[in-house]
Amino acid sequence: MLLDLLFPNRCLHCNRIIQGDQLVCELCFVQIHFTHWNFLDDNELKHKCTLLFPVQHAFALVHFEEEGLSRKIIHALKYSGREKAGLVIADWTADHVDFGTKKPDLLVTVPLHPKKLRKRGYNQLHLFTEKLSEQWQIPFDHELIHRNYNRKAQALQDKSHRKQTENLFSLTKPVQHRHILIIDDVFTTGNTMSAVAWEILKSGNNTVSVLVMALD
């Protein structure tokens, strides 16, 4: 209580004091560039994925503009120690996604390399995915995909030097005949997502869909 008085939670955009479980104030919320896509329809992200791997459906919650509020929110989650921001973003996502009759069987997160995980202290996708799992009543598995080696984050690389990854990920156990929703924070070149998707697809008669917080 005293900490709340001394260090009140503030809007990431305008610095106005807001409730402790919020990221932005109501006035700034309308400035978030949500995609408003339908999970089951064709969209820009699905087209990008289709060029890299077979995908059933794809959804991005927001656009990742260079100077936009969406970028501030994702960066707060990833680089400012605000792990619980994932819970707020999950609520926004659940409000925008309707699976219809195409509900996935399993939610899978893209893993961090253990070295990066130790440095950050958390995987920014975990609370996000666990909240969605609870709301959608779909099981999750944070351990299915193993990252075999570390590489510089794509968001920090010059686009001309981003390359297709090989053997970046592997499965920790066999999985077959499942519709798996792969979850990540930002879709940039799609190389990371593609590497995860192909590991799942080649495991045996699986299908994949994609959900990301933001499309760059």
Side-chain angles (χ1 to χ4, degrees), residues 11 16 18 22 24-31:
C11 173
R16 182 181 285 109
I18 55 178
Q22 295 180 332
V24 295
C25 67
E26 292 182 3
L27 293 176
C28 291
F29 180 79
V30 299
Q31 299 183 46

Side-chain angles (χ1 to χ4, degrees), residues 139-157:
F140 66 88
D141 190 341
H142 295 322
E143 308 300 328
L144 179 64
I145 305 297
H146 174 72
R147 184 182 287 264
N148 297 323
Y149 57 90
N150 200 10
R151 65 194 296 268
K152 189 176 181 180
Q154 291 194 33
L156 303 178
Q157 295 185 55

Side-chain angles (χ1 to χ4, degrees), residues 9-46:
N9 188 36
R10 294 182 179 273
C11 173
L12 291 174
H13 192 53
C14 72
N15 211 37
R16 182 181 285 109
I17 294 176
I18 55 178
Q19 294 182 9
D21 60 349
Q22 295 180 332
L23 296 177
V24 295
C25 67
E26 292 182 3
L27 293 176
C28 291
F29 180 79
V30 299
Q31 299 183 46
I32 300 174
H33 192 183
F34 290 102
T35 64
H36 298 291
W37 291 341
N38 185 321
F39 179 81
L40 301 178
D41 292 343
D42 288 343
N43 55 57
E44 182 183 354
L45 177 58
K46 184 176 181 180

Side-chain angles (χ1 to χ4, degrees), residues 188-205:
T188 51
T189 64
N191 291 340
T192 298
M193 184 65 73
S194 179
V196 172
W198 278 114
E199 286 302 317
I200 294 171
L201 289 167
K202 72 184 184 184
S203 179
N205 297 313

